[in-house]
Amino acid sequence: MSETTTLLNHRYGPDHTPSVVDNPIIDHLLNHRSLRSYADRPLPPGTLETLVAAAQSAATSSNLQAWSVIEVRDPDRRARLARLANNQAHIVQAPLFLVWLADFSRAQRIADAQDIELKAPGYFDSLLVGSIDAALAAQNAVVAAEALGLGTVYIGALRNDLQAVIDELQLPPLVYPVFGLCVGYPATQTAIKPRLPQAVTVHRDTYQVDAQREPGLIAEYAALAASFSRGQGQNSLDWRDQVIARLKDESTLHGRERIAGTLNAQLLALR
Amino acid sequence: MSETTTLLNHRYGPDHTPSVVDNPIIDHLLNHRSLRSYADRPLPPGTLETLVAAAQSAATSSNLQAWSVIEVRDPDRRARLARLANNQAHIVQAPLFLVWLADFSRAQRIADAQDIELKAPGYFDSLLVGSIDAALAAQNAVVAAEALGLGTVYIGALRNDLQAVIDELQLPPLVYPVFGLCVGYPATQTAIKPRLPQAVTVHRDTYQVDAQREPGLIAEYAALAASFSRGQGQNSLDWRDQVIARLKDESTLHGRERIAGTLNAQLLALR
């Protein structure tokens, strides 16, 4: 069995393996797994510069480059951020911890030189522009990190208490933390997590759901995901029930139900 | 001069070239350029499946997989979408055109089987979760496409008339189009676009701006970007003035000033 086929079997299960083009960079992408346990091992010199160069090479809307990144080194600050993000120990353990920011403050500083107040950053679309710019950049950094033998995990829980994180990082108006990212060498082996069959995720021409077929495909995925979780010694709650539990009501948002107000206080997403 | 150094010189200019780790996947990422002119040449079999497999291998918040993608094949639909997106001809020309969706509709269909109405998708944070999920996935697809010798360009202008695009793609509630993506072989050579120096983009521990140093670094970047644009036969408006022109007021949002209302009508970002 080829390397590619092995990777696809892990990702989709043997019944839903698509035919993909054989290519080492594709294999590299298929091989992604998130890492939550980091070795106490220093990173190669130039790691941060490499990840940022990869990140800056990603596309950016209208070349605005409406993002920035903070490397958090101070251990006390790391510990406080970990407490704000659901006590995730890897925020403290990982040798590199980055916070990716949507940033229109730099644009405003440029405009300040001409005594111009920018109006567009307060609009909803600009929040999307900055968040998407940050996400494209960070994903390139993730692909780069894995090329160096490093693992990563995104920290969306950095939005649980958005105001406290903004204060901790001393973010000015027009800036908000989109997510964190831990980077380091693996302390443990991790496995490739299964995903939904492509037939569930891909639509043709319009959004068409095959109401006869979709529930069965999702049930097959739930079985595959449960088998994976058991193999990892994790809880094997049915994936469908996990989705419902995560999205049922505001209690599962862990504070994120308040972020609209915090973003508005940063002068973002006002209208 | 090594390949890596050449790529970095194009990206940052010779005065701000960082030291990065030498690695073929890093070089691949550094080599990105957006492509707006596509050859009339069919794609290899399995291209879509390959890009989607790469996309699904990206991280996704809480494994919700809160995104979907539509491949738009119908030429008439492509032409209508191009008209809605600032008449960008490559939307029609590219052999593959994808629309990336933030999608909580699938989760709601799963919950429907238990007669549960999900509350979290209406919250602001879920809009970010779905948009970020879609962006991470799409960026992996871009890296994969370039591995196959293909070029890409993101189409943020698909949000200019969001409601019309939602209607055209027949999107149900809890779904919105984050951006489009053109994919195909290059019809013309393109060049690596310069980006801001890393010193402007990277902060340490907190958001610190060196008010003495930043304006000069940005001015150096503006000169580099103007030189690049002249070399490409493009307008060489100062980058700082481009940023101001793009963000000055709502007229430059080209309809995107209305997206908050349209998202709300999709039952997204309500609070």
Side-chain angles (χ1 to χ4, degrees):
Chain A
M1 197 183 293
S2 79
E3 166 77 359
T4 308
T5 306
T6 304
L7 294 168
L8 290 168
N9 278 345
H10 286 300
R11 189 64 76 195
Y12 291 105
D15 296 341
H16 294 287
T17 300
S19 291
V20 311
V21 181
D22 190 28
N23 176 290
I25 292 173
I26 305 294
D27 284 355
H28 177 72
L29 295 168
L30 297 177
N31 204 14
H32 167 78
R33 59 281 309 268
S34 291
L35 181 69
R36 292 180 179 81
S37 182
Y38 292 86
D40 182 18
R41 178 178 163 195
L43 301 181
T47 297
L48 177 63
E49 291 76 6
T50 303
L51 303 196
V52 172
Q56 290 192 284
S57 298
T60 154
S61 181
S62 307
N63 197 29
L64 286 175
Q65 307 179 56
W67 64 275
S68 297
V69 64
I70 300 181
E71 181 202 4
V72 181
R73 282 194 187 171
D74 175 22
D76 295 335
R77 195 179 308 278
R78 289 259 207 123
R80 290 192 296 270
L81 289 172
R83 277 197 295 276
L84 293 171
N86 204 20
N87 292 305
Q88 295 182 56
H90 35 277
I91 296 174
V92 174
Q93 286 165 355
L96 181 64
F97 182 63
L98 302 174
V99 180
W100 298 84
L101 310 170
D103 184 356
F104 287 92
S105 159
R106 183 165 58 234
Q108 183 57 59
R109 290 194 297 279
I110 291 169
D112 283 343
Q114 300 184 28
D115 277 323
I116 292 169
E117 189 197 347
L118 301 177
K119 298 290 195 304
Y123 281 85
F124 208 98
D125 189 68
S126 297
L127 185 87
L128 294 176
V129 164
S131 304
I132 293 165
D133 263 19
L136 302 182
Q139 184 57 20
N140 257 20
V142 163
V143 174
E146 292 175 354
L148 307 182
L150 304 169
T152 64
V153 66
Y154 284 101
I155 309 294
L158 218 58
R159 299 195 303 275
N160 287 3
D161 189 344
L162 196 65
Q163 187 61 57
V165 172
I166 287 168
D167 294 342
E168 182 64 59
L169 300 175
Q170 302 174 26
L171 304 185
L174 302 180
V175 181
Y176 96 94
V178 186
F179 43 65
L181 186 74
C182 300
V183 182
Y185 287 104
T188 53
Q189 283 290 349
T190 52
I192 291 177
K193 195 173 227 173
R195 298 282 195 240
L196 289 163
Q198 293 202 353
V200 172
T201 303
V202 182
H203 299 258
R204 179 116 333 127
D205 275 314
T206 57
Y207 193 101
Q208 301 285 352
V209 176
D210 184 336
Q212 298 304 311
R213 193 161 170 240
E214 188 185 69
L217 287 171
I218 290 177
E220 285 182 58
Y221 172 68
L224 181 69
S227 165
F228 170 83
S229 294
R230 279 192 302 272
Q232 300 293 303
Q234 298 165 354
N235 95 62
S236 56
L237 185 66
D238 187 290
W239 180 74
R240 293 163 293 190
D241 294 327
Q242 288 181 43
V243 167
I244 292 169
R246 169 67 177 73
L247 296 174
K248 194 170 179 180
D249 56 45
E250 75 167 47
S251 72
T252 57
L253 291 171
H254 299 295
R256 296 198 213 172
E257 67 278 8
R258 296 188 303 267
I259 76 164
T262 307
L263 290 170
N264 293 166
Q266 290 297 98
L267 308 181
L268 294 166
L270 293 169
R271 70 211 124 197
Chain B
M1 197 183 292
S2 80
E3 167 75 359
T4 309
T5 307
T6 304
L7 294 168
L8 291 168
N9 278 345
H10 286 300
R11 188 64 76 193
Y12 292 105
D15 296 341
H16 293 286
T17 300
S19 291
V20 310
V21 181
D22 191 27
N23 175 291
I25 292 173
I26 306 295
D27 284 356
H28 177 73
L29 296 168
L30 297 177
N31 204 12
H32 167 78
R33 59 281 310 268
S34 292
L35 180 69
R36 293 180 179 80
S37 182
Y38 291 87
D40 182 16
R41 178 179 162 194
L43 301 180
T47 298
L48 177 63
E49 292 76 6
T50 303
L51 303 195
V52 172
Q56 290 193 283
S57 298
T60 153
S61 181
S62 307
N63 197 28
L64 287 174
Q65 308 181 55
W67 64 275
S68 297
V69 64
I70 299 181
E71 181 202 3
V72 181
R73 281 195 188 171
D74 176 21
D76 294 335
R77 197 180 305 279
R78 288 260 206 123
R80 290 192 296 271
L81 289 172
R83 277 197 296 275
L84 293 171
N86 204 21
N87 291 306
Q88 295 182 55
H90 35 276
I91 295 175
V92 175
Q93 287 165 354
L96 182 64
F97 182 65
L98 301 174
V99 179
W100 299 82
L101 310 170
D103 184 354
F104 287 92
S105 160
R106 183 165 56 235
Q108 183 56 61
R109 290 195 296 279
I110 290 169
D112 283 343
Q114 300 184 29
D115 278 325
I116 292 169
E117 189 197 347
L118 301 177
K119 299 289 194 305
Y123 281 85
F124 208 97
D125 189 68
S126 297
L127 185 87
L128 294 177
V129 164
S131 305
I132 293 165
D133 264 18
L136 302 182
Q139 185 57 20
N140 257 19
V142 163
V143 174
E146 293 176 354
L148 306 183
L150 304 169
T152 64
V153 65
Y154 285 101
I155 309 293
L158 218 58
R159 300 195 303 275
N160 287 3
D161 188 344
L162 197 65
Q163 187 61 56
V165 172
I166 287 167
D167 295 342
E168 182 64 59
L169 300 176
Q170 301 173 27
L171 303 185
L174 302 179
V175 181
Y176 95 94
V178 186
F179 44 65
L181 185 74
C182 300
V183 182
Y185 287 105
T188 52
Q189 282 291 348
T190 52
I192 291 176
K193 195 173 227 174
R195 298 284 194 238
L196 288 163
Q198 292 203 354
V200 172
T201 303
V202 182
H203 299 257
R204 179 114 334 125
D205 275 314
T206 57
Y207 193 101
Q208 302 284 353
V209 176
D210 184 336
Q212 298 304 311
R213 192 162 171 240
E214 188 185 69
L217 287 170
I218 290 177
E220 285 182 59
Y221 172 67
L224 181 69
S227 166
F228 170 83
S229 295
R230 278 192 302 274
Q232 300 293 303
Q234 297 165 353
N235 95 61
S236 56
L237 185 67
D238 187 291
W239 180 74
R240 293 164 292 191
D241 293 326
Q242 288 181 43
V243 167
I244 292 170
R246 168 67 177 73
L247 296 174
K248 195 170 180 181
D249 56 45
E250 74 167 47
S251 73
T252 58
L253 292 171
H254 299 295
R256 297 197 213 173
E257 67 277 9
R258 296 188 304 267
I259 77 165
T262 306
L263 290 169
N264 292 167
Q266 290 298 97
L267 308 182
L268 294 167
L270 293 169
R271 68 211 126 200

